[in-house]
Amino acid sequence: MTTREYGIQCIKDEAQALLDLIGNIDDNFDQAVDLVLHCKGKVIVTGVGKSGHIGAKIAATLASTGTPSFFVNPLDVYHGDLGVMTHDDVVIAISNSGTTDELLRFIPMVLHMQIPIIGMTGNPDSLLAKYSTCHLNVSVDHEACPLNLAPTSSTTATLAMGDALAVALMEKRNFRPQDFAHFHPGGELGKRLLTTAQDVMRQDDLPILPPEMHLGEAVILISKGKLGLGVAERDGQLLGIVTDGDIRRAMEKWQAEFFNRTVNDIMTIAPKTVSPETKISDIQRIMHKHKIHSVLVVDKSHKLLGVVDSYSCMI
């Protein structure tokens, strides 16, 4: 086999391990979801070595999707970290063999505190599985490693089971994009979901067009405005909108008569408007739905405050 073929085979093996994992989603999975869903404290994820790395990722995923969670190395428990645990917590203990000594020495402490344990192992007959409140079976037929030694398929399966748990909890909690943004305020999604129209709208030097203005003058103002539109107003009240497309279609329709026509002849009298508090994510949906590149921001009395265009939404 070539090096490329070895890589392809590895991915195939891990993909098959994930497909085989579907059969392990059973009553224990339902019980695990229920335990975490009704947990009044924190979810503490623990594991050693590669299982610990996977556990840290699972804890991070749970925490970012609405489940208070963090990772604890069982080795640190013997040096004071046991103090973070309370009777209201739930422990997710990860060990592929289910016989990891450092983890098993930690389990009696958890049992003594009567904290529920969700065991995640590849060995349903192991001690960890035996003492778990519920057991999530992440066993694989073989590792993608050619020696069948290095954790590859098994860690992938464990990670996928953790993701499955997190996703099921999101659905149970009706976790929405706005909730995700709350936990990811620094990310792109968070910015789109938390930023509002008033944060990005253009307010100065807007191309304002009186409805009786001739289109020849309107073209100049729209061009200077660099928004691809002009806003028709009278006495501070919004009347309509004229876009570059409206101008082109009017030229094709009236040709030599174009310059004798007015803004009132071609303006759209019901342009799409939003309030200053409208989220950028909602504005993007409006633009996509109506195939437009700008919306007008107005106050409660329908007075124009600004314009948000597609470029403003690229935050």
Side-chain angles (χ1 to χ4, degrees), residues 181-198:
H182 176 75
F183 294 105
H184 298 76
E188 179 183 350
L189 176 60
K191 290 179 182 178
R192 286 194 287 112
L193 291 170
L194 297 177
T195 304
T196 63
Q198 62 187 349

Side-chain angles (χ1 to χ4, degrees), residues 290-308:
H290 298 284
K291 296 180 173 59
I292 55 178
H293 62 78
S294 301
V295 295
L296 307 183
V297 185
V298 298
D299 61 16
K300 293 180 180 179
S301 62
H302 216 58
K303 181 180 178 181
L304 180 69
L305 299 177
V307 176
V308 175

Side-chain angles (χ1 to χ4, degrees), residues 52-197:
H53 294 306
I54 296 299
K57 192 277 178 186
I58 291 174
T61 299
L62 288 170
S64 69
T65 53
T67 299
S69 176
F70 60 90
F71 176 78
V72 170
N73 189 316
L75 299 175
D76 295 331
V77 170
Y78 309 120
H79 301 283
D81 280 8
L82 187 63
V84 304
M85 297 188 186
T86 71
H87 295 289
D88 293 326
D89 297 336
V90 170
V91 166
I92 298 178
I94 304 172
S95 168
N96 186 46
S97 67
T99 60
T100 305
D101 182 63
E102 297 92 340
L103 193 61
L104 291 180
R105 286 191 285 130
F106 163 63
I107 296 303
M109 305 177 194
V110 180
L111 294 174
H112 178 71
M113 296 179 68
Q114 297 182 326
I115 298 174
I117 299 173
I118 299 172
M120 196 179 296
T121 83
N123 183 2
D125 298 320
S126 64
L127 283 174
L128 177 55
K130 177 182 178 181
Y131 287 107
S132 295
T133 309
C134 58
H135 175 249
L136 300 180
N137 186 355
V138 291
S139 60
V140 297
D141 182 62
H142 64 276
E143 298 286 4
C145 165
L147 301 177
N148 197 30
L149 294 175
T152 45
S153 297
S154 59
T155 49
T156 300
T158 304
L159 183 61
M161 183 65 81
D163 287 342
L165 186 63
V167 168
L169 286 163
M170 290 174 69
E171 290 295 335
K172 283 287 187 178
R173 288 196 173 100
N174 194 32
F175 195 83
R176 301 272 67 90
Q178 291 79 4
D179 303 311
F180 190 86
H182 176 75
F183 294 105
H184 298 76
E188 179 183 350
L189 176 60
K191 290 179 182 178
R192 286 194 287 112
L193 291 170
L194 297 177
T195 304
T196 63

Side-chain angles (χ1 to χ4, degrees), residues 215 219 244-259 261 266:
L215 293 182
V219 168
D244 284 342
D246 295 328
I247 295 292
R248 288 193 300 272
R249 287 185 288 273
M251 285 182 172
E252 292 175 1
K253 179 179 179 180
W254 289 310
Q255 297 184 17
E257 293 294 317
F258 170 81
F259 293 97
R261 299 288 179 166
I266 67 170

Side-chain angles (χ1 to χ4, degrees), residues 25-35 134 136 165 172:
I25 304 291
D26 54 15
D27 292 342
N28 281 279
F29 183 82
D30 295 335
Q31 187 179 0
V33 171
D34 193 62
L35 278 174
C134 58
L136 300 180
L165 186 63
K172 283 287 187 178

